[in-house]
Amino acid sequence: MSIEELFKQFLISKEITTDTRKITKNCIFFALKGENFNGNTFAKAAIDQGASIAIVDEKEFENISSNIFYVNNSLETLQELARSYRNHLNIPFIGLTGSNGKTTTKELISVVLKEKFRTHFTYGNLNNHIGVPLTILSIPENTEIAVIEMGANHQKEIELLASISQPDYGYITNFGKAHLEGFGGFEGVIKGKSELYNFLRKNNKTAFVNFKDPIQVEKTNDIKRITFSDEENTDYKIELIKNNQEFLSVSCLDQEIQSNLTGDYNFSNISCAITIGLHFGIKIDSIKHGIENYYPTNNRSQIIKKDNIKIIMDAYNANPSSMEVALKNFSKFEGSKSIIIGDMFELGEESKKEHQKILNLAEELNFNKIFILGKNFNETITNNKNVLKFDSRTDFESFLLNNPLKTDNILIKGSHGMRLDLININQL
């Protein structure tokens, strides 16, 4: 089946799935393969459950049903179909990547744009070579603007995702120490994430740039760009209001905007959303309404109150860069402070050094109690009596049964694989 024929079929069905548990009537099933599964073996089941057609890339499954069609590579065909639909939509696409803050920034941009436009954005973490095509193919035809999050853990991945989503605008939140193993170090992170800038440059598209980030400024000096910062020499001036509030407040165009996010590191995330809103002609009072009604519920800078304890649940993911800013921000909280931090993954040869640096920083910040969880943190060296080591989350939870924490504030942060979000906060 050619892409042209498949695209015509897609415009009729408008539903794509790669999972037979999510079959809807007349959807198109793509048989994808992984290390532990082969979607080709489920093609007949997909047809039996109501799929209009199934796309396979192993010839032996083609003749099982007249509605099963063979292609050379199902994943590449899915990606090519997404490219076709992206061009068909003919609306502005905003591409977003970075080491930290992607999802929060994406959601902030989206709530702002929704004040004026029918907006579609990446749901959950569908931001990889499979998720981006599925996100694009789920965009309703009446959508007026799309926000596409792009994640990567190695070189050339952003290049691929940009070629699929073809963004008219791009934004990189930051370059941090994430996925060092796959990228080959910090310079590799910069090179890999900057593949978005390469696409914008080559296609004469536009970058949104935080003008206080010297690396971003340098990387975009030959690209069309729209800048923001707290300085006068930018396109949009946005200032952080320093008044010791629990949540972040900013000022723009004589409007004070009170967010429901904690941490100065969210200032650039909010500023980007404001900038994009203003660029697309949204009034500042509407932008204020969108941001002030956004509440994080995804274990990212999420504040939970338990009795008289304030818990910062930031356990969706972690790397040395995000861990450092989270600890420094938490150290500014009033009252006693304890931290529960878990291993950071995908750091390769830098892992031992980076875990030690984070523990050293935690000790310097004089937290009342420091609970470190996981194999990597357990290999760190400390003589601090306030540091307690645990092999896993379950070991820590067993400790809590007889040792409830006596503190005013608790920060919980670690890589998603540590599943610190599953800690029973009622035991804290």
Side-chain angles (χ1 to χ4, degrees), residues 66-83:
S66 60
N67 291 333
I68 297 177
F69 296 90
Y70 170 79
V71 296
N72 288 330
N73 186 299
S74 294
L75 175 58
E76 291 178 1
T77 301
L78 176 70
Q79 294 167 343
E80 190 59 38
L81 179 61
R83 285 191 188 94

Side-chain angles (χ1 to χ4, degrees), residues 100-320:
N100 307 310
K102 291 188 298 296
T103 299
T104 299
T105 304
K106 170 200 67 183
E107 293 184 354
L108 287 166
I109 293 170
S110 300
V111 297
V112 167
L113 291 175
K114 282 181 178 180
E115 292 289 316
K116 182 177 179 180
F117 303 101
R118 289 188 294 272
T119 305
H120 191 87
F121 61 95
T122 303
Y123 290 105
N125 60 350
L126 292 174
N127 63 6
N128 64 5
H129 60 296
I130 298 173
V132 167
L134 291 176
T135 295
I136 294 171
L137 291 166
S138 69
I139 299 175
E141 281 206 73
N142 67 348
T143 300
E144 295 174 303
I145 193 165
V147 183
I148 307 298
E149 179 182 336
M150 297 182 285
N153 58 17
H154 58 267
Q155 307 285 344
K156 298 297 183 181
E157 195 166 5
I158 295 299
E159 180 181 285
L160 170 65
L161 300 181
S163 76
I164 297 170
S165 59
Q166 301 172 49
D168 302 284
Y169 300 86
Y171 177 62
I172 299 178
T173 59
N174 50 50
F175 299 117
K177 295 179 180 180
H179 307 296
L180 295 179
E181 186 173 22
F183 279 114
F186 182 60
E187 290 302 318
V189 172
I190 296 175
K191 181 180 178 182
K193 298 294 184 181
S194 293
E195 289 165 10
L196 175 57
Y197 288 151
N198 296 341
F199 177 90
L200 300 177
R201 182 182 296 108
K202 181 179 179 180
N203 293 278
N204 197 30
K205 302 301 183 180
T206 302
F208 292 104
V209 179
N210 176 4
F211 223 55
K212 293 298 284 287
D213 187 328
I215 304 179
Q216 308 285 357
V217 173
E218 187 272 328
K219 290 290 182 181
T220 58
N221 59 15
D222 60 346
I223 302 175
K224 287 195 301 184
R225 63 187 180 190
I226 298 163
T227 61
F228 63 87
S229 78
D230 58 2
E231 299 177 348
E232 297 289 348
N233 62 337
T234 53
D235 295 309
Y236 296 100
K237 182 181 179 181
I238 304 157
E239 296 179 283
L240 177 63
I241 299 175
K242 290 283 190 180
N243 54 9
N244 297 318
Q245 293 185 97
E246 182 176 288
F247 298 108
L248 219 59
S249 289
V250 305
S251 174
C252 181
L253 299 178
D254 298 321
Q255 280 273 17
E256 179 177 335
I257 301 174
Q258 172 71 63
S259 79
N260 298 292
L261 293 166
T262 186
D264 288 357
Y265 50 86
N266 275 309
F267 174 55
S268 59
N269 301 338
I270 295 171
S271 298
C272 177
I274 294 172
T275 297
I276 290 175
L278 292 172
H279 175 73
F280 282 99
I282 301 175
K283 295 179 179 179
I284 191 64
D285 56 340
S286 296
I287 294 172
K288 173 183 171 73
H289 178 266
I291 292 174
E292 291 190 344
N293 284 277
Y294 169 71
Y295 293 87
T297 58
N298 48 19
N299 296 320
R300 296 175 173 91
S301 301
Q302 183 179 352
I303 294 183
I304 303 170
K305 299 288 183 65
K306 173 188 173 283
D307 300 326
N308 294 321
I309 301 176
K310 186 186 302 176
I311 302 168
I312 312 302
M313 179 63 76
D314 197 4
Y316 183 80
N317 220 331
N319 57 59

Side-chain angles (χ1 to χ4, degrees), residues 315 340-342 373 393 412-414 418-423:
I340 304 165
I341 54 176
L373 285 60
R393 184 193 79 250
I412 303 176
K413 188 166 182 64
M418 291 297 295
R419 295 314 308 266
L420 301 190
D421 57 303
L422 297 180
I423 290 174

